[in-house]
Amino acid sequence: MTRRLFGILAALGLAASLSGFAAPAQAEKRVALVVGNNDYKNVPRLLKAVNDARTMGDTLKQLGFSVMVAENQSRQQFSETLLAFDRAIEPGDTAFFFYAGHGFEIAGQNYLLPTDVPAATEGQEELVRDAAILADRIVERLQNKKARTSILVFDACRNNPFERKGTRAVAGGGGLAPMTQLPEGVFSVFSAGPRQTALDRLSNDDTNPNSVFTRTFAKELLQPGENLVQVAQRTRRAVSELADTVKHKQVPVYFDQMVDDVFLSGIAKDAAARPADPPPQKLAALPPVSVPQMPREETTNAPIASFSRHNGGWSVVFSFADPTLGISWRIAGKGDFRETGFIDTLDPRTRKRMPNPSIELPPDAQAGTIEIRYVDQSGEMQGPFPIRFDPEAALIRDQRKILDMTATSWLSFREFNGLLVYYTHLVSYRCAIREVRIGIDTAVPNQVLKMPPCDMRDPSAITAGMPLYMKLASSTQSVSVELTYRDGSVSEIKSFRSANRSNH
């Protein structure tokens, strides 16, 4: 699971490269550190990590970041570089960390390997830990600096760098471990999913100077108007398709703990077009707003929306912090606003009938913006407020939530001419699932359970001929299950005992 580390200009160039950060920094700015490590002394060298760091540095500069580029970092240099990055960050800033180089997972923790990491064999895991940089510690440092938005990108999912013929390697595996327990305000992207390795190139004829992931991710970052989730999703799709062309499985994953949508390219371009507006640093973690005009920030109390898919289409439920006397909506720029009506419930805050907080959309509703406005308790119209609707993302989020809440229903057993295990529940919410792994009479899911493809037009439909169960040996005692969701995160392993059999 090796990949590359960010590099700094090197010891002598460090002071010069950081001179731009030495001066007092403006609040709520964009700062970035990119590291690329090629020249490893005791483990296999890499070819493209430094190029990847340079490409990402150039990309982030175009997005308004002050960028430090660090190359071929030893352990001490890496530590000094991180200290310099710490000093550059102030409360409210947007911080971006990119690492290309070897990475390694030990006991569920990810370590970024400096160029002087020692060679290690079985039982010498502590050598690696002591000589490497713990990825979780970088997250902690950004939190301690009170960065509003922290973005971490790891193009470091390579083969085990400690594998040697004739020796037993350090206990670890290919790929990095998922970072599922991130604090609020952190967004992380990995170039490959759990148990996967990342491609440097597609073939010997591939002359692109960057890895398959970085060449794609850098391009997507510059697309105007895409938030970080959209950037990650488009990158994942493109990289996966490229890897498929050479019969390799590489599906980048991301872990999202953002409160706001984060638009990097959109904000930078809007700010360049409107120099009289506040500088982009002030809005680094907020979505750009065009039409409709938002109320002034101090009076804004925007609603939030939850989307759920059913057989007849979409239900959208809005939540308002303020008491409301009426709610109206429209698809952005299309026709007049429509009232949602009222429900037969009195709002104790207004002593009037409560406006209906929900609307319905057809099953084939396209991605777009819903504009919402409401009448507050004093009779003033507030809004309109734009709410982004992405059917695919909304479906995945809704089904993922259902799967998490109903984990005890993933499998059920039935005796019928033997022992059957049903996975109908998983099929019903398959659009949120990338892969199902099961283990029969083992706590380690070690085989893939093939699922039907997702049909966005009728996502929960179960049609004739769909496999919904498998036959097991009558002596089977248990089945373990692990889900890899579409966003790349991995569920806890759930175990189902055949003794708890149902007859439905």
Side-chain angles (χ1 to χ4, degrees):
M1 82 181 139
T2 57
R3 255 246 131 208
R4 312 164 268 176
L5 281 146
F6 333 87
I8 217 176
L9 297 177
L12 188 52
L14 179 62
S17 67
L18 303 185
S19 60
F21 286 148
Q26 285 184 314
E28 301 182 29
K29 60 187 180 299
R30 294 179 172 189
V31 293
L33 170 62
V34 299
V35 180
N37 281 357
N38 278 345
D39 298 337
Y40 287 91
K41 297 177 175 60
N42 304 306
V43 298
R45 292 165 59 93
L46 295 172
L47 298 176
K48 297 186 178 183
V50 169
N51 281 343
D52 288 346
R54 293 173 180 175
T55 294
M56 283 302 302
D58 291 342
T59 300
L60 293 172
K61 287 176 184 176
Q62 294 180 58
L63 297 174
F65 283 84
S66 296
V67 181
M68 300 163 57
V69 179
E71 300 175 2
N72 296 319
Q73 299 282 279
S74 67
R75 180 63 171 83
Q76 181 174 344
Q77 289 171 336
F78 209 149
S79 295
E80 292 172 351
T81 299
L82 289 171
L83 283 173
F85 190 42
D86 285 347
R87 289 193 294 270
I89 301 170
E90 295 183 345
D93 285 352
T94 292
F96 196 115
F97 176 82
F98 173 86
Y99 173 79
H102 279 310
F104 197 72
E105 174 263 328
I106 299 175
Q109 291 187 305
N110 295 322
Y111 295 86
L112 311 181
L113 306 187
T115 56
D116 56 354
V117 66
T121 57
E122 183 184 23
Q124 296 181 323
E125 288 79 11
E126 292 304 322
L127 283 179
V128 179
R129 286 191 175 102
D130 291 344
I133 302 293
L134 179 63
D136 284 343
R137 179 61 185 138
I138 297 174
V139 176
E140 291 176 10
R141 294 168 76 141
L142 296 178
Q143 291 291 293
N144 291 340
K145 297 299 292 186
K146 294 182 170 54
R148 178 178 182 179
T149 300
S150 299
I151 305 163
L152 299 97
V153 181
F154 301 99
D155 195 357
C157 307
R158 297 300 185 109
N159 297 325
N160 186 340
F162 302 107
E163 287 180 340
R164 296 287 189 279
K165 289 184 178 179
T167 67
R168 298 192 65 176
V170 171
L176 294 175
M179 296 175 73
T180 56
Q181 303 299 318
L182 293 174
E184 184 178 292
V186 178
F187 191 94
S188 69
V189 185
F190 289 73
S191 59
R195 306 184 187 90
Q196 297 175 5
T197 55
L199 293 171
D200 244 354
R201 55 186 178 175
L202 294 171
S203 70
N204 292 334
D205 298 326
D206 184 355
T207 59
N208 193 296
N210 296 120
S211 73
V212 174
F213 170 81
T214 294
R215 72 182 72 166
T216 306
F217 183 68
K219 179 180 177 183
E220 290 297 335
L221 273 177
L222 294 175
Q223 296 299 315
E226 288 188 5
N227 62 33
L228 277 179
V229 171
Q230 291 169 322
V231 169
Q233 289 176 339
R234 292 176 185 272
T235 299
R236 180 174 60 194
R237 185 178 299 114
V239 170
S240 177
E241 290 173 353
L242 286 171
D244 281 345
T245 64
V246 292
K247 303 293 190 283
H248 181 80
K249 185 171 185 179
Q250 179 182 347
V251 183
V253 298
Y254 67 91
F255 303 95
D256 178 10
Q257 289 297 327
M258 293 287 99
V259 175
D260 305 308
D261 282 342
V262 179
F263 291 79
L264 295 181
S265 182
I267 290 294
K269 294 196 174 189
D270 286 351
R274 297 181 281 108
D277 284 353
Q281 295 94 322
K282 296 237 178 238
L283 295 173
L286 294 176
V289 176
S290 51
V291 179
Q293 181 64 41
M294 291 284 286
R296 291 178 304 157
E297 185 174 349
E298 60 267 24
T299 61
T300 297
N301 205 345
I304 60 175
S306 62
F307 300 87
S308 60
R309 184 71 158 81
H310 50 79
N311 290 339
W314 291 92
S315 291
V316 188
V317 179
F318 303 103
S319 297
F320 300 84
D322 286 340
T324 59
L325 300 180
I327 303 169
S328 57
W329 70 284
R330 70 177 182 182
I331 300 298
K334 295 183 179 179
D336 297 330
F337 280 87
R338 289 175 280 176
E339 302 292 332
T340 62
F342 296 86
I343 60 177
D344 293 330
T345 302
L346 290 177
D347 187 336
R349 299 173 297 177
T350 64
R351 298 180 180 273
K352 298 179 183 293
R353 288 181 66 187
M354 185 177 293
N356 181 3
S358 66
I359 63 172
E360 298 292 320
L361 298 176
D364 58 352
Q366 300 299 303
T369 299
I370 303 170
E371 295 176 20
I372 294 294
R373 64 185 188 182
Y374 68 92
V375 179
D376 65 18
Q377 196 168 8
S378 64
E380 296 291 327
M381 180 70 74
Q382 299 294 331
F385 302 94
I387 293 179
R388 183 68 183 167
F389 171 54
D390 182 334
E392 181 176 358
L395 174 65
I396 292 171
R397 189 180 302 115
D398 183 47
Q399 290 200 353
R400 162 72 185 271
K401 181 166 57 177
I402 293 172
L403 286 167
D404 285 341
M405 293 172 60
T406 58
T408 56
S409 301
W410 288 356
L411 298 184
S412 61
F413 294 91
R414 181 184 180 188
E415 289 181 349
F416 183 78
N417 294 330
L419 178 61
L420 306 179
V421 58
Y422 280 81
Y423 48 94
T424 314
H425 193 74
L426 297 179
V427 174
S428 298
Y429 302 105
R430 61 191 178 276
C431 290
I433 302 172
R434 180 170 296 280
E435 184 178 76
V436 180
R437 299 179 69 88
I438 64 171
I440 299 172
D441 281 336
T442 173
V444 179
N446 54 13
Q447 57 183 290
V448 175
L449 180 63
K450 187 173 178 59
M451 301 290 287
C454 168
D455 182 357
M456 286 293 295
R457 296 168 300 180
D458 197 358
S460 56
I462 297 178
T463 60
M466 267 188 193
L468 302 175
Y469 65 89
M470 60 186 302
K471 192 167 185 177
L472 302 177
S474 57
S475 59
T476 301
Q477 297 298 308
S478 67
V479 178
S480 58
V481 185
E482 179 186 69
L483 307 184
T484 299
Y485 294 107
R486 287 279 293 275
D487 64 3
S489 59
V490 181
S491 72
E492 294 182 6
I493 296 175
K494 305 292 184 182
S495 185
F496 297 82
R497 297 193 62 81
S498 60
N500 302 323
R501 299 175 187 175
S502 63
N503 294 311
H504 60 274

